[in-house]
Every structure is written in structure tokens, then in C-alpha cells.
Amino acid sequence: MSKMMKRWLSSWLVLAIAAGPALAGSNDGKPASENNANANNAEPAAAASPSLAPAATDANVTALLGVLVMKGVLAPGEANAIHNAAPDTRFQLLVEALNRKGVLTAADLSAAPTAASQPMAAAAPQPPSAPQPVPVALSTPDPQAAQTAAAAPPPPAVVPAIAPLRVLPVDPPKKDGLAAAFKTGPVKLTPYGFIKTTAAYDSSSPNGDDFPFVGLFLTTPQTFDTGPTKDPEFHIKARSTRIGANFEWPDISPRLTFTGRIEGDYEGNFSEVDNRDVSSIRSNAFQLRLAWARMDYQATDRTDLYFEGGQDWTLFGSGGALMPILETTFLGAFYGDPYTRSPQFQFGAVHDFGGSRHFKVSPTFALMMPSSGQILKLGSVGLAGQLGEGEREGADAARPELEGRIAFQWQADKAPGVAPAQVLVTAFDSRRKSIAPFSSYSAQCANPGEAIYCTTFPNGVTASSSQYGEQVALQLPTRWFTLVASAYQGGDLRFFFGGQVNSYATNTAGLTNLTTPLSTLDGGPLAAAGAVVIGTNSSGQAVVAPQKPIRSFGGFASLGLPLSRWANANPKGHNAGWQLFFTVGKDQVNNHDLNNPAYTANANTLSPLPLLMGKMFAATLYYKINPWVTFSFEQSVYGTRLNHALCDPSIGITTACYNIAGQTSDEWQDHRTEFGPIFTF
């Protein structure tokens, strides 16, 4: 704010201070109680009104409030709060508001004349109150939770119902809604996060992971063997701990709101340096989860338009529904819960139709980073394979991934403490590409049957496949229970943790004289990943074998029971936070793609993988002692079933079967018990 503006406001303040005692002595002969009643019944000021309804005892303050709203110094809500306060407190509230915003300093106030009835020291700036902790969701925090905390209504007189986990909420952020813990210049900032430590026992964990992982048993070679036991394991981990911060940037326009978020955790890789070789198990590296900024424009009183840029949750999968389970390192990945986070440009709108149900609709469109999930360490892949196939193949398609979501929100249950219901439809469309240079097959052209490849493709070849998905989700909170359900289908869903780790396959149907799998520019790890192959068709022409996405489908359902609300517990007591969840999920490969002979009898010996489905069930009990401390217990079963065409011991088919503790089986299971506290801040 300019010095001239500060001087101008200071002059107004001096005038208000000087006039205050005189005006305070006149109340038109009415008792103070009547004046207070009139003030409390006054109509709130309009958002863009240059003046507010005058009050007999503080006309100067009222006029100044109107000017401050026009100038963008105060938000309409702030001005209304001051105007609707008791007359003898309005001036003090205004001084405090201007002091918080840096318009008035202690020096400004000390230079102003004091009122005869009250020393000016009473108006001196007060030290800021200690920042209040911002509760964070147990698994993934709501991106707008901290922005709306300051404007939240008083807690209900009953225990709140269970609110679904919503990482992409419909309601837009409120201007000046962030309860700032501190400022960096004019920018408000509030940190948040949680410290989470859990102990887990797995009845079978052949991968050695401290989280449930789909039953690939990634040894080299791939044996699907647990050894003489089921390979039980015990882990204690603290790397699910998460840290983040919410931001709000100021703007003079009352219609523009700028917010942002940055977030990271320790669930990624370990440090790989000499002084960490022995102790790498406890040396987790901090890694980025979210980093985005958002601009909201209030087009009308009911319509919000917004743009967001940065890394956030995807619209497909994440924007529909997520499992409310305790284990979040691999949040139902490959077990019916598709999700991921990705760099993006997001464009959306929110329209409030009003009515008794507060019906809202929010269409959203996004340009995402095109990605094709890396094949999860099959063989000796390493970082080169992760970046090559996971990042390069999507970028080589030379087009963004397109994602969309439409959300419908309404108040299904009007009981106090119940969140709105939502129905969501999401979808995405993308493409990946492999590029093989001429040098990758030039040596094979010495063979008479393959010489045509060098003349037909003298500069190299490319092959590509599509990626797509559709999802429908329901989130239905009520005072008695909360139901969350999601169903999806698509092709090449590996990046979204779907499709049982499959991505795409090379279709060699009708082709002869196949080349060996060609090396590609993306550094794709293995031929098993679906490498480029050239062959001869029935007409004797050289063609590139087409690549096809492997299709899959699945979903999950979760039922949350608010036990404390059922028991009519005291909402402010220690028994207000008992919640019980039952969650079941499934992810399955399309049988036609899994057993297509043109997909398996060629270079793609492991793509498609011999996994038919992953399925899980979890019972999760949360006990929230207070808004910041929660204890959790989860009993779950994770299972992977193999393709019956390759493994059916009942009829003697054992081509690709599990060997679990010396027993041949088509299914592997892990019975998992996990317990631990979560401290939020």
C-alpha cells in the first residue's frame, strides 16, 4: 500500500478518534441495550457497496468501512463483522484489523490524539494470538481445509458425521479465509501436516515392502516363490509423516482470490550415500507431493471461475473417491483405488444453484503431464527405466494428457454436522510412444527375410498406444453412516495404479519374420515391457507390430460408521472420535487381453503379466482423542490371483503358479495388522 494511501487512512482515523467522544455522548435518549439491539438487527452491507448503513454512535467508522471495502483494504466479510459488532467495540475492531494488515503501525497510533474518556494505549496493537493447529485428514488433507477454517461455523451440538476424503473439493476458497499462522511480507502462510508412526505385521510379504504390494514377487528370475515359509514380516515406520503449507496472496480486487499449497512426505526413496549405506532403512528422503497455485474469480454471487497450475491430484481416480484406510503409502494401489498426482494446468467453474439443498455443479478440465507408469522393477530396471518408460514415452507422444471431471454436490442429509453428498464422473485420454532408431535393427537386415525392413524404414520406426479411463463415484454422508463407492474401466491404467501393473502389449497377430525386440530412445528396460517389433504381413509388406493398451476394470466400496454419534457422545469430550470403516476393493484385467495369444507368444513374455486380479478387504477403527491426536487400528487382507489359463492346480495347469511355503497355489494372500498414532498440526 502506498504512503499516500496510508496518510489518507490515518487522517480518517484521526478524525474518527477526535469525533468519537462527542458522538459517544449522544444516543438519542435511548438506553444502551436498545442501541445494541438495533445494531444486532442491522442488515449486512452489500459486497461492493461504497457505504454502509450508518449507526448513530459511530458514523465516521461506518463511512470509513465503506471506503475501505471499495479500496480493497478490507474484505466485505471483514467490514460486515466490524459493522455488526456492538457500537462500543467497532472502532477498536477496525484499528486491530488495519494494524494486522500493516496499514497502521504503533507509531501511527501513538501520534494520533487520544480520546478524553479512554487512553490511546488501549488502541495499541496487541501481540498476535498463538496460531491454532489446523486438523489434517488422516490419509490425505483437504486442499481447502485451512483456507476455510477461519470462516467455519461453530461446532455442532452433536458429534459430526463422517466426512468423505476429498482431495479435490467442489467449494472454492474464501477470500481472506486463510487463518494465517504468520506472514512472509504480505503473503499469508499456515503450515500443516501430521506425524504418523505405525507398526505392521504381514502374514506374507515376499517383496520385503512395509506396505501392501500386488503379488508380483519381484525376484530375478521371476519365481513367484516365498521359500519355505509364507515370509511373514514385521515393520515399524515413520516415513508416512507429512508436511505442507497453505498460502494466500493479497489482491485489491474483492473478486479475486489467490491460494496455493506445497506438500511433501518421506514415503519415497532412501538416501544412497556412503554415510547412509548401513543406516539407509531410517534415512528416508523428503519428496514432493503437491505444489500448486490457484486463482479464483467470483464472476457472480453464485459462480466461481478458477485456474490452477502446478502438481496436484489427478481428476481421474483421485477426483472421484479415495479409500479411507490407515495404510497410505500405497493407498489401495492395484486393489481397486486408482489415483495419482501429476503436473497440470486445471480450468474449472463452480455454480451454486442455491435452494434448501444447496445444489452445486462443478465442471473441470485439465491438461496433464502425459505419463506411462514404469514397470515396477521387473529385472534390473532402476532409475533409467523409471524415467525412460514412465516419463519419456508419454512426453514422446508430443501431446498433453486430457482429463475431465464433473461434480454434483448437494445436502442430502440436513442434520447438523453432515457434509454434502457428491456424485462425480471423471475421464482421461492420453497416448504414449516408443521410438526405435535405425541402428536398433540395421544389423538384422543382413538376414534375407528381414532385408526389406531397412529399405522400408531407413530412418527408424515408432509405435504407440492409447491410454484412457472412465470413472463414476458416489460419496453419500448421512447422520447414520457414510457410503463411498467408485467404479472404473480403461486401458493402460498402470500410471494410476490400476490394471494389475499391466500397461500395453505388442500385437503380432498375422505377422511373420519378426525382429528381435528393438532398443528404443526412451531407454525402455526390457522387451517384456512391450518393445517395438517389426514383421512381415500376409502381403509381404514390412510393418510395425501395433501396440495395444491392456484393459482393466474395478472399484471399491467403503462404509463408515460414526460410532460416537450413535452413542450421543459429548462432542467436546474424549469419546467423540470413534469411527469404524469397512472397505472392499478389486482391480481386474480384461480376460480377452490377458489370454490373447498374440499378446503372450512374442516379445511380451511379461506384458501382459500373468495377474488376473487384486482384491482387498480392510476394517479400520479410528479413535480421535481430540482434534489433533488419533489412534488407529486396521486389520486387512490383500490377495492376488493368477491367470487361470496359466495356473489352475485343480486340473493340473501349473505354467505360472505361486509356490507359497512349498504349496502350489493360484492365489497369494497377505493378512495385515497395523496400528499407530497420528499427531496432526
Side-chain angles (χ1 to χ4, degrees), residues 471-496:
Q471 176 194 32
V472 177
L474 168 68
Q475 299 180 0
L476 181 61
T478 72
R479 73 194 76 179
W480 304 284
F481 64 86
T482 293
L483 175 65
V484 177
S486 166
Y488 64 89
Q489 65 174 2
D492 191 352
L493 297 181
R494 189 164 67 193
F495 185 67
F496 294 91

Side-chain angles (χ1 to χ4, degrees), residues 249-459:
W249 289 266
D251 189 84
I252 61 173
S253 171
R255 293 185 177 273
L256 285 175
T257 303
F258 294 88
T259 54
R261 165 170 292 212
I262 187 168
E263 180 181 286
D265 65 18
Y266 297 87
E267 291 185 343
N269 209 345
F270 300 96
S271 298
E272 190 173 344
V273 292
D274 288 345
N275 67 319
R276 289 289 187 265
D277 281 348
V278 175
S279 61
S280 62
I281 192 66
R282 50 91 170 161
S283 303
N284 308 97
F286 187 73
Q287 294 186 326
L288 181 70
R289 287 170 56 90
L290 303 173
W292 52 263
R294 169 169 165 158
M295 178 180 70
D296 284 79
Y297 174 69
Q298 187 181 1
T300 70
D301 291 341
R302 293 183 178 271
T303 303
D304 179 87
L305 307 176
Y306 74 87
F307 164 77
E308 180 185 311
Q311 180 162 299
D312 201 356
W313 297 87
T314 55
L315 301 180
F316 174 77
S318 320
L322 292 173
M323 290 182 177
I325 59 178
L326 171 62
E327 178 51 65
T328 57
T329 302
F330 232 32
L331 183 63
F334 303 111
Y335 289 102
D337 189 18
Y339 73 94
T340 194
R341 298 173 294 273
S342 183
Q344 59 187 275
F345 289 137
Q346 191 179 128
F347 310 85
V350 182
H351 183 74
D352 185 356
F353 288 91
S356 62
R357 299 287 179 177
H358 303 288
F359 183 78
K360 297 179 182 179
V361 62
S362 176
T364 310
F365 172 75
L367 304 177
M368 298 275 179
M369 171 67 194
S371 303
S372 176
Q374 191 268 335
I375 204 169
L376 297 173
K377 297 187 289 187
L378 281 176
S380 55
V381 176
L383 181 61
Q386 293 180 17
L387 296 180
E389 189 178 354
E391 187 270 341
R392 179 70 188 270
E393 286 192 349
D396 279 343
R399 50 155 286 185
E401 180 175 298
L402 308 178
E403 294 198 19
R405 180 183 88 156
I406 184 166
F408 304 94
Q409 177 175 295
W410 74 100
Q411 193 67 44
D413 188 340
K414 295 183 179 181
V418 180
Q422 289 185 355
V423 169
L424 307 108
V425 179
T426 73
F428 86 98
D429 179 79
S430 188
R431 198 159 191 88
R432 49 151 299 279
K433 180 188 291 185
S434 296
I435 303 174
F438 178 74
S439 59
S440 66
Y441 58 89
S442 58
Q444 302 183 44
C445 295
N447 301 324
E450 300 176 6
I452 189 175
Y453 301 153
C454 291
T455 57
T456 305
F457 304 109
N459 300 312

Side-chain angles (χ1 to χ4, degrees), residues 582-613:
F582 297 102
T583 304
V584 60
K586 174 183 176 180
D587 176 57
Q588 182 168 339
V589 182
N590 183 288
N591 187 71
H592 178 271
D593 292 350
L594 191 65
N595 294 299
N596 189 330
Y599 286 4
T600 56
N602 60 64
N604 305 289
T605 55
L606 294 179
S607 185
L609 297 162
L611 304 182
L612 172 64
M613 72 169 74

Side-chain angles (χ1 to χ4, degrees), residues 18 22 38 40 50 85 224 280 290 310 332 407 423 470 491 528 576 588 637 648 652 660:
N38 292 337
N40 292 333
F224 299 102
S280 62
L290 303 173
V423 169
E470 302 91 27
Q588 182 168 339
V637 180
D648 192 346
I660 300 174

